[in-house]
């Protein structure tokens, strides 16, 4: 399947975008609304005019019409045909391209089986649940043996649990089929679950392209750092294995316990919104709880970021303005800090 190269692409908000998507890669585009994510997909698919150059495996595609680019596109609204049953929806692209009936039947049956919707083949789309519609739309996009697949937030209307399950299942299927894919997701956590690499786009410019861990532990610009939540990055001095599935990480004067499967940890990342702050000693065990001194207070929209010195570490916390006002927090005040055990993430050497 092809490598995609975008060179000096400009269109509406997009300004001189350069991006390379590797052969068989699943790249996830992440950014705020209006950043240019959907426009970039439309450029790849040839659905809009643009300035710049698009290459598939070094072949220039700028004058190639959309139906000859070999690109499948799954839109946010799915656009299933209500007058066709599930089987006919999936077979539609194959019929348009003139594939023999034998090939169509084999391909559709394989996709019905792969996406676990064989029992829906005779049903019409208006009788399907949201998750079932997603599966049918995915099968229809995959059916015509496309070399590239583009996904524009197709699961945004589903509940988080169903969306996560379908994303994981789709990722595994795309890897089996070795299809080059570009996926637009507004949720960074969802992007991390499936991406080979993540591209952060902001105001029409690519801020950083890297593996999920690299994005989180080594944000290249202030925009990326802000977008991922300005995580606290702690260097690990040493680790103690406490029991099966638990490890104690020592970083300066802080000792942090977290679930773990492995041998050693190099760095920890803790988002500010996953750290509680209190002006009184909280009840409960002392696990992942510390005393510190406020060194900086930073108002940000409806929240307040508070930097706390805990020994040699400076931890950035985030809380609602109402909670901040209630505690009357000030620079120099002693506070208690609690780190949520379940949300810690780490990188191995």
């Amino acid at each position: 399947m092809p490598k995609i190269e975008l060179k000096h692409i400009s269109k509406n908000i997009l300004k001189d975008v350069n991006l390379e998507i590797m052969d068989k890669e699943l790249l996830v585009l992440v950014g705020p609304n209006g950043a240019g994510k959907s426009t970039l997909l439309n450029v790849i698919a040839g659905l809009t005019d643009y300035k710049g150059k698009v290459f598939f495996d070094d072949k220039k595609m700028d004058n190639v019409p959309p139906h000859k680019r070999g690109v499948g596109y799954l839109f946010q609204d799915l656009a299933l045909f209500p007058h066709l049953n599930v089987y006919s929806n999936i077979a539609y692209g194959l019929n348009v391209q003139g594939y023999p009936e034998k090939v169509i039947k084999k391909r559709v049956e394989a996709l019905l089986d792969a996406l676990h919707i064989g029992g829906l083949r005779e049903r019409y789309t208006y009788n399907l649940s949201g998750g079932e519609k997603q599966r049918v739309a995915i099968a229809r996009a995959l059916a015509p043996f496309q070399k590239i697949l583009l996904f524009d937030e197709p699961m945004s209307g589903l509940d988080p649990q169903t969306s996560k399950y379908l994303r994981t299942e789709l990722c595994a299927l795309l890897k089996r089929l070795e299809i080059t894919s570009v996926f637009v997701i507004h949720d960074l956590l969802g992007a991390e679950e499936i991406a080979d690499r993540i591209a952060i786009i902001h105001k029409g410019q690519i801020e950083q392209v890297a593996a999920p861990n690299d994005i989180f532990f080594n944000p290249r610009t202030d925009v990326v750092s802000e977008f991922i939540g300005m995580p606290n990055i702690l260097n690990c001095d040493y680790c103690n294995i406490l029991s099966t599935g638990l490890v104690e990480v020592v970083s300066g004067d802080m000792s942090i316990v977290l679930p773990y499967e492995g041998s050693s940890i190099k760095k920890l990342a803790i988002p500010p919104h996953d750290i509680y702050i209190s002006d009184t000693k909280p009840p409960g065990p002392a696990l992942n709880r510390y005393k510190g001194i406020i060194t900086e207070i930073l108002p940000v929209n409806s929240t307040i970021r508070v930097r706390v010195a805990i020994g040699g570490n400076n931890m950035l916390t985030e809380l609602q303005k109402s909670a901040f006002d209630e505690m009357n927090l000030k620079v120099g005040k002693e506070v208690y800090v609690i780190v949520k055990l379940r949300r810690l993430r780490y990188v191995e050497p």
Side-chain angles (χ1 to χ4, degrees):
M1 300 302 166
K3 177 178 75 172
I4 304 168
E5 288 183 89
L6 308 178
K7 296 185 177 182
H8 307 293
I9 298 297
S10 294
K11 169 68 180 180
N12 297 337
I13 194 171
L14 299 178
K15 301 292 186 255
D16 197 32
V17 170
N18 293 282
L19 179 63
E20 188 172 319
I21 302 155
M22 305 303 178
D23 177 35
K24 302 170 190 163
E25 179 178 38
L26 200 165
L27 180 92
V28 178
L29 272 173
V30 185
N33 290 335
K37 302 185 296 294
S38 297
T39 304
L40 203 57
L41 293 190
N42 289 337
V43 168
I44 295 171
L47 297 176
T48 184
D49 60 324
Y50 54 87
K51 293 180 180 178
K53 297 176 181 178
V54 176
F55 294 89
F56 295 171
D57 274 345
D58 300 322
K59 180 183 176 183
K60 193 175 179 183
M61 304 299 293
D62 303 312
N63 296 321
V64 178
H67 67 280
K68 291 187 177 180
R69 289 196 178 195
V71 175
Y73 201 145
L74 187 57
F75 296 93
Q76 191 169 357
D77 63 2
L78 304 183
L80 294 172
F81 301 119
H83 64 288
L84 299 178
N85 64 19
V86 166
Y87 184 99
S88 298
N89 260 281
I90 298 171
Y92 180 82
L94 294 164
N95 280 313
V96 168
Q97 293 185 20
Y99 281 94
E101 185 59 36
K102 185 178 179 180
V103 173
I104 294 174
K105 186 176 187 304
K106 183 178 179 181
R107 180 66 168 174
V108 174
E109 292 293 343
L111 289 168
L112 287 169
D113 182 60
L115 288 154
H116 313 296
I117 50 176
L120 306 178
R121 72 184 69 230
E122 300 300 329
R123 288 173 59 179
Y124 286 82
T125 56
Y126 53 78
N127 286 325
L128 303 179
S129 68
E132 290 168 342
K133 288 179 181 177
Q134 295 286 345
R135 292 173 185 275
V136 175
I138 290 167
R140 189 181 66 178
L142 288 167
F145 303 98
Q146 307 287 26
K147 298 176 181 179
I148 295 167
L149 283 177
L150 309 176
F151 301 88
D152 192 358
E153 298 196 74
M155 298 168 195
S156 58
L158 300 178
D159 65 87
Q161 185 175 358
T162 303
S163 179
K164 179 178 179 177
Y165 180 79
L166 270 178
R167 276 197 308 267
T168 305
E169 190 175 45
L170 175 59
C171 178
L173 183 58
L174 292 172
K175 288 300 178 186
R176 285 204 308 272
L177 297 174
E178 298 185 332
I179 294 175
T180 305
S181 310
V182 185
F183 215 117
V184 166
I185 296 181
H186 67 279
D187 171 25
L188 186 61
L189 185 61
E192 287 183 277
E193 290 170 354
I194 63 171
D196 293 320
R197 290 189 302 156
I198 294 173
I200 304 289
I201 185 170
H202 180 74
K203 293 184 177 179
Q205 295 187 325
I206 302 293
E207 293 285 335
Q208 186 171 356
V209 185
N213 254 3
D214 287 339
I215 290 280
F216 211 87
F217 283 93
N218 301 293
R220 196 175 68 187
T221 68
D222 290 341
V223 169
V224 175
S225 184
E226 183 69 38
F227 185 79
I228 64 177
M230 299 189 71
N232 299 280
I233 307 297
L234 301 181
N235 291 315
C236 173
D237 297 330
Y238 61 91
C239 299
N240 295 319
I241 305 300
L242 301 180
S243 63
T244 303
L246 280 181
V247 66
E248 177 191 32
V249 173
V250 177
S251 176
D253 299 313
M254 296 179 68
S255 170
I256 305 171
V257 176
L258 65 152
Y260 181 64
E261 297 177 5
S263 56
S264 61
I265 294 174
K266 182 181 179 182
K267 290 183 179 182
L268 273 179
I270 310 170
H273 57 78
D274 283 337
I275 302 175
Y276 291 125
I277 187 170
S278 174
D279 59 345
T280 59
K281 185 176 182 178
L287 185 68
N288 293 351
R289 300 182 181 209
Y290 318 93
K291 241 195 295 194
I293 302 294
I294 295 176
T295 60
E296 190 176 16
I297 294 172
L298 306 163
V300 182
N301 299 326
S302 62
T303 62
I304 306 292
R305 288 175 180 161
V306 179
R307 198 176 298 278
V308 181
I310 304 172
N313 290 316
N314 278 295
M315 302 294 290
L316 189 65
T317 71
E318 188 174 275
L319 66 162
Q320 293 297 314
K321 189 177 185 303
S322 57
F324 173 84
D325 292 338
E326 186 179 327
M327 288 188 282
N328 192 28
L329 301 178
K330 297 178 181 178
V331 171
K333 185 171 184 175
E334 185 177 78
V335 290
Y336 295 87
V337 170
I338 306 170
V339 176
K340 293 182 188 178
L341 182 143
R342 63 184 177 85
R343 290 300 300 273
L344 302 182
R345 70 182 74 203
Y346 55 83
V347 61
E348 298 178 59

